[in-house]
Amino acid sequence: MDETRRDFIKGMFASGTFLALGVPGIARAASVGSLFDSTRNCRLLLGNTTGAESFAKGVQSACFNHGSRRHGALPVFRFESELSTGFLHLVDLLMQSRNTRWIAVMDHADAAIFTELIRNSAAHLLASGSHAFAAGDHAALPLRHVWAAASPACSTGGLLASMLAREQYSFSIVERFLTQSAGEGIENGAPSLPEFLPYHRADQPVTRLYCAGVPLPEAGRLLGWETSKNQESLFSRAIASTASRNETAGSTTVEYPQSGDWVEATGYAVAAAALGMKINRESCSERAFVYRSGQGHPDHKGLSGVNFASFVIDV
């Protein structure tokens, strides 16, 4: 075992007390906005988790719609065993894939180890997400997504909210950004999401909330945002964007493909962000989308109870 690989593994175990926190990795990524473009070599990492194939289908669809068609589909690397017993192969893969952007999906157990691998490598964590569809019909918003990202330049929520609302899922999406800057060439106005009523925190204008089918006070309670106070006084209506729904800053046309299920839609949105698409971004530190459908998905398309984690990293 060479010294670099040995130091990498020693560092991973030495920092085990910070397992799954991931904040330092995202902090390092805050200064690498110049790396965020669609010209970089991009690959897909699939873990052994339910829904991985649907996620991959969405990623490849986004690659075709938003990426460089001359490169075709993204190369795929799969790990079938748990990372707790088979992580050395992945260590070598990360060390040998310099100047590569990885889109990854895996279960939460492997995600904790993967976060630690990123922390102790030269990789930059741009975004990490947690995704779950609650089993049963008792949940007010059964589909939940939570992202932590370096900045709004890595935002996924606006596109995903548009796709899921069109397909009549009930969901919440929360994005938290380390820095507020949306990056050069990205409009700072509200995203063009006509289905949603936009609000901002009266005391924290950098916090945004978009609601559809859910009253503002209930949306705040479902998110756990200041539930002890009157939501109407906490939030004020923001001015909605006048931009067309199918356009973004710079008049970039946005495509909304039909997805087979919510996992495929998630893969599409994550990949579109990873490929540098400027879709429904704004300068803010935190934003959320809350949507309740007038229709239901009684079988949840076979993906009830599914949960997984996603990552976008630069190596």
Short mmCIF file of all heavy atoms in Angstrom, two decimals, residues 4-38:
data_model
loop_
_atom_site.label_atom_id
_atom_site.label_comp_id
_atom_site.label_asym_id
_atom_site.label_seq_id
_atom_site.Cartn_x
_atom_site.Cartn_y
_atom_site.Cartn_z
N THR A 4 0.43 7.55 0.13
CA THR A 4 -0.74 8.42 -0.03
C THR A 4 -2.01 7.69 0.33
O THR A 4 -2.88 8.21 1.04
CB THR A 4 -0.82 8.92 -1.48
OG1 THR A 4 0.39 9.61 -1.81
CG2 THR A 4 -2.01 9.87 -1.66
N ARG A 5 -2.12 6.46 -0.14
CA ARG A 5 -3.33 5.67 0.14
C ARG A 5 -3.40 5.34 1.63
O ARG A 5 -4.47 5.39 2.24
CB ARG A 5 -3.27 4.38 -0.68
CG ARG A 5 -4.54 3.54 -0.66
CD ARG A 5 -4.41 2.51 -1.78
NE ARG A 5 -5.60 1.66 -1.87
CZ ARG A 5 -5.68 0.44 -1.39
NH1 ARG A 5 -4.66 -0.07 -0.73
NH2 ARG A 5 -6.77 -0.29 -1.56
N ARG A 6 -2.25 5.03 2.26
CA ARG A 6 -2.23 4.71 3.68
C ARG A 6 -2.64 5.92 4.52
O ARG A 6 -3.44 5.82 5.44
CB ARG A 6 -0.83 4.23 4.11
CG ARG A 6 -0.76 3.84 5.58
CD ARG A 6 0.65 3.42 5.99
NE ARG A 6 1.05 2.20 5.30
CZ ARG A 6 1.99 2.15 4.35
NH1 ARG A 6 2.62 3.26 3.98
NH2 ARG A 6 2.31 1.01 3.79
N ASP A 7 -2.11 7.11 4.19
CA ASP A 7 -2.47 8.32 4.92
C ASP A 7 -3.94 8.64 4.75
O ASP A 7 -4.61 9.10 5.68
CB ASP A 7 -1.63 9.50 4.43
CG ASP A 7 -0.17 9.37 4.82
OD1 ASP A 7 0.13 8.56 5.72
OD2 ASP A 7 0.67 10.07 4.21
N PHE A 8 -4.46 8.41 3.55
CA PHE A 8 -5.88 8.65 3.28
C PHE A 8 -6.75 7.82 4.22
O PHE A 8 -7.68 8.32 4.86
CB PHE A 8 -6.15 8.27 1.82
CG PHE A 8 -7.53 8.57 1.33
CD1 PHE A 8 -7.78 9.68 0.55
CD2 PHE A 8 -8.59 7.73 1.62
CE1 PHE A 8 -9.05 9.95 0.07
CE2 PHE A 8 -9.86 7.99 1.16
CZ PHE A 8 -10.09 9.10 0.38
N ILE A 9 -6.44 6.51 4.33
CA ILE A 9 -7.24 5.61 5.15
C ILE A 9 -7.06 5.91 6.64
O ILE A 9 -8.02 5.92 7.41
CB ILE A 9 -6.86 4.15 4.83
CG1 ILE A 9 -7.22 3.84 3.37
CG2 ILE A 9 -7.57 3.18 5.77
CD1 ILE A 9 -6.67 2.52 2.88
N LYS A 10 -5.83 6.21 7.06
CA LYS A 10 -5.60 6.57 8.46
C LYS A 10 -6.39 7.81 8.84
O LYS A 10 -7.00 7.88 9.91
CB LYS A 10 -4.10 6.81 8.69
CG LYS A 10 -3.27 5.53 8.78
CD LYS A 10 -1.79 5.84 8.78
CE LYS A 10 -1.42 6.68 9.99
NZ LYS A 10 0.04 6.98 10.01
N GLY A 11 -6.41 8.79 7.96
CA GLY A 11 -7.15 10.01 8.24
C GLY A 11 -8.64 9.76 8.34
O GLY A 11 -9.33 10.37 9.15
N MET A 12 -9.14 8.83 7.53
CA MET A 12 -10.56 8.53 7.56
C MET A 12 -10.98 8.01 8.92
O MET A 12 -11.97 8.43 9.51
CB MET A 12 -10.92 7.51 6.48
CG MET A 12 -12.42 7.31 6.32
SD MET A 12 -12.84 5.91 5.30
CE MET A 12 -12.58 4.59 6.48
N PHE A 13 -10.19 7.08 9.48
CA PHE A 13 -10.54 6.53 10.77
C PHE A 13 -10.24 7.49 11.91
O PHE A 13 -10.95 7.53 12.91
CB PHE A 13 -9.79 5.21 10.99
CG PHE A 13 -10.34 4.09 10.16
CD1 PHE A 13 -9.63 3.59 9.09
CD2 PHE A 13 -11.59 3.55 10.43
CE1 PHE A 13 -10.14 2.57 8.32
CE2 PHE A 13 -12.11 2.52 9.66
CZ PHE A 13 -11.38 2.03 8.60
N ALA A 14 -9.19 8.30 11.77
CA ALA A 14 -8.85 9.25 12.83
C ALA A 14 -9.94 10.28 13.03
O ALA A 14 -10.14 10.79 14.13
CB ALA A 14 -7.52 9.95 12.50
N SER A 15 -10.67 10.60 11.98
CA SER A 15 -11.71 11.63 12.08
C SER A 15 -13.10 11.02 12.20
O SER A 15 -14.08 11.65 11.89
CB SER A 15 -11.65 12.55 10.85
OG SER A 15 -11.84 11.80 9.67
N GLY A 16 -13.18 9.81 12.68
CA GLY A 16 -14.46 9.11 12.76
C GLY A 16 -15.48 9.77 13.65
O GLY A 16 -16.68 9.54 13.50
N THR A 17 -15.05 10.59 14.60
CA THR A 17 -16.01 11.25 15.49
C THR A 17 -16.89 12.25 14.75
O THR A 17 -17.92 12.65 15.25
CB THR A 17 -15.26 11.99 16.62
OG1 THR A 17 -14.32 12.88 16.04
CG2 THR A 17 -14.55 11.01 17.52
N PHE A 18 -16.45 12.66 13.54
CA PHE A 18 -17.24 13.60 12.75
C PHE A 18 -18.05 12.90 11.66
O PHE A 18 -18.55 13.54 10.77
CB PHE A 18 -16.31 14.64 12.09
CG PHE A 18 -15.57 15.48 13.07
CD1 PHE A 18 -14.24 15.21 13.36
CD2 PHE A 18 -16.19 16.53 13.72
CE1 PHE A 18 -13.55 15.99 14.27
CE2 PHE A 18 -15.51 17.31 14.63
CZ PHE A 18 -14.19 17.04 14.91
N LEU A 19 -18.16 11.59 11.78
CA LEU A 19 -18.83 10.79 10.76
C LEU A 19 -20.20 11.36 10.44
O LEU A 19 -21.00 11.62 11.32
CB LEU A 19 -18.96 9.35 11.24
CG LEU A 19 -19.31 8.29 10.19
CD1 LEU A 19 -18.18 8.18 9.19
CD2 LEU A 19 -19.57 6.96 10.86
N ALA A 20 -20.45 11.51 9.16
CA ALA A 20 -21.75 11.91 8.60
C ALA A 20 -22.08 13.39 8.75
O ALA A 20 -23.13 13.82 8.31
CB ALA A 20 -22.89 11.09 9.21
N LEU A 21 -21.20 14.19 9.36
CA LEU A 21 -21.51 15.62 9.48
C LEU A 21 -21.34 16.33 8.14
O LEU A 21 -22.21 17.06 7.71
CB LEU A 21 -20.63 16.27 10.54
CG LEU A 21 -20.88 15.79 11.97
CD1 LEU A 21 -19.95 16.52 12.93
CD2 LEU A 21 -22.32 16.01 12.38
N GLY A 22 -20.20 16.13 7.52
CA GLY A 22 -20.03 16.61 6.16
C GLY A 22 -19.82 18.10 5.98
O GLY A 22 -19.54 18.54 4.88
N VAL A 23 -19.94 18.91 7.03
CA VAL A 23 -19.87 20.35 6.85
C VAL A 23 -18.52 20.82 6.34
O VAL A 23 -18.46 21.66 5.44
CB VAL A 23 -20.25 21.07 8.17
CG1 VAL A 23 -20.04 22.56 8.03
CG2 VAL A 23 -21.69 20.76 8.53
N PRO A 24 -17.37 20.32 6.86
CA PRO A 24 -16.09 20.81 6.34
C PRO A 24 -15.93 20.60 4.85
O PRO A 24 -15.40 21.44 4.15
CB PRO A 24 -15.07 20.00 7.14
CG PRO A 24 -15.77 19.66 8.41
CD PRO A 24 -17.19 19.41 7.99
N GLY A 25 -16.41 19.47 4.32
CA GLY A 25 -16.30 19.22 2.90
C GLY A 25 -17.07 20.25 2.10
O GLY A 25 -16.60 20.76 1.09
N ILE A 26 -18.28 20.57 2.53
CA ILE A 26 -19.07 21.58 1.84
C ILE A 26 -18.42 22.94 1.99
O ILE A 26 -18.40 23.73 1.06
CB ILE A 26 -20.52 21.59 2.38
CG1 ILE A 26 -21.21 20.28 2.02
CG2 ILE A 26 -21.30 22.76 1.82
CD1 ILE A 26 -22.61 20.18 2.55
N ALA A 27 -17.84 23.23 3.15
CA ALA A 27 -17.18 24.51 3.37
C ALA A 27 -16.05 24.71 2.38
O ALA A 27 -15.87 25.80 1.84
CB ALA A 27 -16.66 24.59 4.80
N ARG A 28 -15.29 23.68 2.12
CA ARG A 28 -14.20 23.81 1.16
C ARG A 28 -14.73 24.09 -0.24
O ARG A 28 -14.12 24.78 -1.03
CB ARG A 28 -13.36 22.53 1.14
CG ARG A 28 -12.46 22.37 2.34
CD ARG A 28 -11.48 21.24 2.12
NE ARG A 28 -12.16 19.97 1.96
CZ ARG A 28 -11.56 18.87 1.54
NH1 ARG A 28 -10.28 18.90 1.22
NH2 ARG A 28 -12.22 17.74 1.42
N ALA A 29 -15.90 23.54 -0.55
CA ALA A 29 -16.45 23.71 -1.89
C ALA A 29 -16.94 25.12 -2.14
O ALA A 29 -17.13 25.51 -3.29
CB ALA A 29 -17.60 22.73 -2.10
N ALA A 30 -17.16 25.90 -1.09
CA ALA A 30 -17.72 27.24 -1.27
C ALA A 30 -16.81 28.13 -2.10
O ALA A 30 -17.26 29.07 -2.72
CB ALA A 30 -17.96 27.88 0.10
N SER A 31 -15.53 27.82 -2.15
CA SER A 31 -14.58 28.67 -2.87
C SER A 31 -14.26 28.14 -4.26
O SER A 31 -13.36 28.64 -4.91
CB SER A 31 -13.28 28.78 -2.06
OG SER A 31 -12.69 27.50 -1.91
N VAL A 32 -14.98 27.13 -4.74
CA VAL A 32 -14.64 26.53 -6.02
C VAL A 32 -15.76 26.74 -7.04
O VAL A 32 -16.00 25.90 -7.89
CB VAL A 32 -14.31 25.03 -5.89
CG1 VAL A 32 -13.08 24.84 -5.05
CG2 VAL A 32 -15.49 24.25 -5.32
N GLY A 33 -16.45 27.88 -6.94
CA GLY A 33 -17.54 28.15 -7.86
C GLY A 33 -17.09 28.14 -9.32
O GLY A 33 -17.86 27.79 -10.21
N SER A 34 -15.82 28.51 -9.56
CA SER A 34 -15.34 28.54 -10.93
C SER A 34 -15.28 27.15 -11.55
O SER A 34 -15.21 27.00 -12.77
CB SER A 34 -13.94 29.17 -10.98
OG SER A 34 -13.03 28.41 -10.20
N LEU A 35 -15.30 26.10 -10.72
CA LEU A 35 -15.25 24.74 -11.24
C LEU A 35 -16.63 24.27 -11.68
O LEU A 35 -16.75 23.22 -12.30
CB LEU A 35 -14.72 23.78 -10.16
CG LEU A 35 -13.30 24.03 -9.65
CD1 LEU A 35 -12.96 23.01 -8.59
CD2 LEU A 35 -12.30 23.98 -10.78
N PHE A 36 -17.68 25.04 -11.35
CA PHE A 36 -19.04 24.56 -11.56
C PHE A 36 -19.50 24.89 -12.97
O PHE A 36 -20.08 25.92 -13.24
CB PHE A 36 -19.98 25.20 -10.53
CG PHE A 36 -21.25 24.43 -10.36
CD1 PHE A 36 -21.30 23.35 -9.49
CD2 PHE A 36 -22.39 24.76 -11.06
CE1 PHE A 36 -22.46 22.64 -9.32
CE2 PHE A 36 -23.56 24.06 -10.90
CZ PHE A 36 -23.59 22.99 -10.02
N ASP A 37 -19.18 24.00 -13.91
CA ASP A 37 -19.63 24.17 -15.28
C ASP A 37 -19.82 22.80 -15.90
O ASP A 37 -19.45 21.78 -15.34
CB ASP A 37 -18.64 25.02 -16.08
CG ASP A 37 -17.26 24.37 -16.13
OD1 ASP A 37 -17.15 23.27 -16.70
OD2 ASP A 37 -16.30 24.98 -15.62
N SER A 38 -20.42 22.78 -17.08
CA SER A 38 -20.79 21.52 -17.71
C SER A 38 -19.68 20.95 -18.58
O SER A 38 -19.89 19.96 -19.28
CB SER A 38 -22.06 21.71 -18.56
OG SER A 38 -21.83 22.69 -19.55
#
